[in-house]
């Protein structure tokens, strides 16, 4: 059933729907109702405006395109699966959480605490501003995504990132089994406590990166303004630039163009720093 150019503001306006296509509709108004499509399935929302809370909870089969979710559209998509979003604005807090099988393309995200505990998400050609972005999610595939915000990708598992640009503090803490390629990562305290994380052809900027890591790899990477790097980490690194300082790597080899200072004052630090010039 197609619904066109209608306005809905009542509580659970289309609760339990199956096979609804909403085109040019507005979910807004004085009744201030929540949960418009709760417990629904096979929903299409095209060129719609969402200004009320919790529109898509417990939805199976959801396609959103050309739509806007405002700052008042809190917690827009929770506990849902089989989700496709294109050309859409996510501007409400906690817009995506506890979902599965998600695909996001050409979209704009301004949403603190976005993407927590998601199982399987692809994101491409999109931008995001968020704190604690994608925390505790797994199965991530990102391509050409720009992010600005603190504490991103903490506790994630099984992820690949390609052609991305991240301006983010405390990113990838406790991350496991992650591969980042052809990307720019700027921010302090990068990837502490991570396991089996690889950076390939990346540019990395910021103080005290890569501490307390296990199975860390850097392949053909640049490091800028990076001091006190690799403290207590197990690391295999090929770095094509100079590093300001390296401190007490636990084990492995760090091949680097030059180092301003090598600090080895921990008796358990057995990592080797190789200057290639």
């Amino acid at each position: 059933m197609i619904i066109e150019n209608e306005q809905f503001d009542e509580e659970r306006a289309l609760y339990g729907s199956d096979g609804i296509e909403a085109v040019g509709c507005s979910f807004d108004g004085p009744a201030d109702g929540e949960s418009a499509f709760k417990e629904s399935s096979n929903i299409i929302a095209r060129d719609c405006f969402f200004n009320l809370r919790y529109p898509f909870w417990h939805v199976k089969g959801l396609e959103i395109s050309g739509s806007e979710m405002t700052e008042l559209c809190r917690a827009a998509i929770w506990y849902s699966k089989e989700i496709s979003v294109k050309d859409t604005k996510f501007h409400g807090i906690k817009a995506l959480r506890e979902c599965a099988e998600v695909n996001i393309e050409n979209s704009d995200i301004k949403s603190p605490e976005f993407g927590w505990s998601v199982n399987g998400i692809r994101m491409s050609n999109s931008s995001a501003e968020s704190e604690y972005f994608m925390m505790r999610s797994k199965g991530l595939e990102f391509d050409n995504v720009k992010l600005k915000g603190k504490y991103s990708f903490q506790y994630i598992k099984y992820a690949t990132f390609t052609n991305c640009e991240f301006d983010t503090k405390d990113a990838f803490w406790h991350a496991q089994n992650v591969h980042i390629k052809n990307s720019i990562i700027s921010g302090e305290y990068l990837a502490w406590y991570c396991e089996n994380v690889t950076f390939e052809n990346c540019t990395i900027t910021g103080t005290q990166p890569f501490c307390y890591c296990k199975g860390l790899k850097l392949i053909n990477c640049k490091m800028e303004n990076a001091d006190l790097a690799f403290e207590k980490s197990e690391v295999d690194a090929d770095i094509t630039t100079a590093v300001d300082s390296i401190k007490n790597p636990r084990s492995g080899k760090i091949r680097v163009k030059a180092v301003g200072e090598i600090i080895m004052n921990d008796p358990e630090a057995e990592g080797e720093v190789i200057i290639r010039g």
Side-chain angles (χ1 to χ4, degrees), residues 77-83 94-104 113-123 132-142 154-159:
I77 308 175
W78 282 35
Y79 309 113
S80 297
K81 61 182 179 180
E82 299 173 17
I83 300 160
K94 305 177 184 179
L96 182 74
R97 185 174 293 193
E98 298 279 359
C99 291
E101 301 171 53
V102 180
N103 186 67
I104 298 174
E113 301 179 18
F114 181 94
W116 287 18
S117 301
V118 172
N119 184 4
I121 177 169
R122 293 183 178 182
M123 186 180 298
Y132 294 100
F133 186 68
M134 302 306 309
M135 189 168 74
R136 297 191 187 279
S137 290
K138 61 183 178 180
L140 297 82
E141 295 183 32
F142 280 38
Q154 294 190 351
Y155 296 95
I156 65 167
K157 296 180 179 180
Y158 309 109

Side-chain angles (χ1 to χ4, degrees), residues 52 54 58 61 68 107 133 149 189 195 226 251:
L52 302 174
Y54 326 134
H58 299 283
E68 179 179 358
S107 293
F133 186 68
Y189 318 121
E195 295 185 32
S251 64

Side-chain angles (χ1 to χ4, degrees), residues 150-214:
K150 300 177 182 178
Y151 321 123
S152 54
F153 306 115
Q154 294 190 351
Y155 296 95
I156 65 167
K157 296 180 179 180
Y158 309 109
T160 59
F161 301 89
T162 307
N163 304 317
C164 291
E165 187 173 340
F166 301 144
D167 181 1
T168 175
K169 175 182 177 180
D170 293 353
F172 296 104
W173 278 44
H174 300 277
Q176 296 181 20
N177 303 310
V178 174
H179 197 154
I180 304 107
K181 298 191 296 184
N182 305 328
S183 296
I184 299 171
I185 305 97
S186 176
E188 302 171 344
Y189 318 121
L190 176 64
W192 285 31
Y193 308 103
C194 70
E195 295 185 32
N196 301 323
V197 173
T198 297
F199 292 80
E200 183 177 355
N201 300 326
C202 291
T203 299
I204 297 156
T205 303
T207 187
Q208 297 183 52
F210 306 124
C211 299
Y212 305 94
C213 303
K214 296 180 180 179

Side-chain angles (χ1 to χ4, degrees), residues 9-17 33-39:
D9 66 347
E10 63 268 30
E11 185 82 8
R12 298 191 178 191
L14 296 166
Y15 176 85
S17 298
E34 302 172 351
S35 306
F37 284 98
K38 189 173 183 179
E39 300 282 2

